[in-house]
Amino acid sequence: SVVTQVVHSAGRRFIVSPVPESRLKEQ
Amino acid sequence: AEDTGVRVELAEEDNGRKSSIALRLWVEDPKKLKVKPKDNGAIEFTFDLEKETPEDVAQEMVESGFFHESDVKIVGKSIRDRVALIQWRRERICPG
C-alpha cells in the first residue's frame, strides 16, 4: 500500500495511508 | 457524537499518561462535506491534549491541501468530539 507523508509548515507530520474497505461506510 | 461524515479514531492504544496522542482521520461520507476531498486516504497525526486545539489541526489540514477551507469547521468538530471522548474516558479511569 502507498503511504504518503506531508509535513505542514508548523512542523506537524501527516501520514496518509489507504483506508481499508471495511472501514468505509456503505454509500 | 454527531455524525459529521468525518471519522476520527485513536491510531494507538491510549495509556492515559501521554499528553500527545496519535489519531487517525478519514472521510466516511463525502456527501456531508461541502467540497469533496481529492484524497480519500486516512490521515494519521499526533495531537497534544494540553497544548493544541482541534481547530488548529483542522486549519493545518486545510493548508496542507487535504480539505477545502469551507470544511474546516466540520473537520475541527470531528476531532473535537473524539478528543472530548478520550478526555472523558481518562477522567473516568484516573480522576484528577
Side-chain angles (χ1 to χ4, degrees):
Chain A
S1 60
V2 181
V3 175
T4 314
Q5 209 172 138
V6 177
V7 181
H8 184 255
S9 55
R12 188 187 310 278
R13 188 174 296 163
F14 294 114
I15 300 163
V16 188
S17 55
V19 183
E21 289 281 323
S22 59
R23 308 308 298 268
L24 289 171
K25 207 180 210 179
E26 281 187 31
Q27 299 294 304
Chain B
E2 188 191 326
D3 182 6
T4 59
V6 178
R7 181 101 174 166
V8 185
E9 283 190 357
L10 275 167
E12 63 180 8
E13 206 175 321
D14 180 26
N15 62 12
R17 278 177 250 141
K18 289 190 292 181
S19 68
S20 183
I21 50 171
L23 296 174
R24 189 180 292 122
L25 176 151
W26 70 93
V27 177
E28 221 174 29
D29 188 356
K31 284 176 278 182
K32 296 211 171 182
L33 297 177
K34 287 178 182 138
V35 180
K36 195 181 171 185
K38 284 172 264 172
D39 195 334
N40 283 329
I43 308 164
E44 198 174 314
F45 58 99
T46 55
F47 181 81
D48 194 307
L49 293 164
E50 291 170 6
K51 296 178 191 159
E52 295 178 318
T53 67
E55 288 72 22
D56 286 344
V57 184
Q59 186 60 41
E60 287 176 23
M61 286 184 180
V62 168
E63 288 166 15
S64 297
F66 294 115
F67 295 99
H68 189 265
E69 205 170 338
S70 54
D71 288 313
V72 70
K73 279 190 183 170
I74 203 163
V75 175
K77 182 182 168 20
S78 308
I79 301 170
R80 179 166 289 281
D81 285 350
R82 175 58 60 186
V83 165
L85 183 67
I86 293 164
Q87 285 175 324
W88 176 81
R89 198 182 289 153
R90 282 187 171 199
E91 282 292 315
R92 273 189 68 199
I93 293 166
C94 183

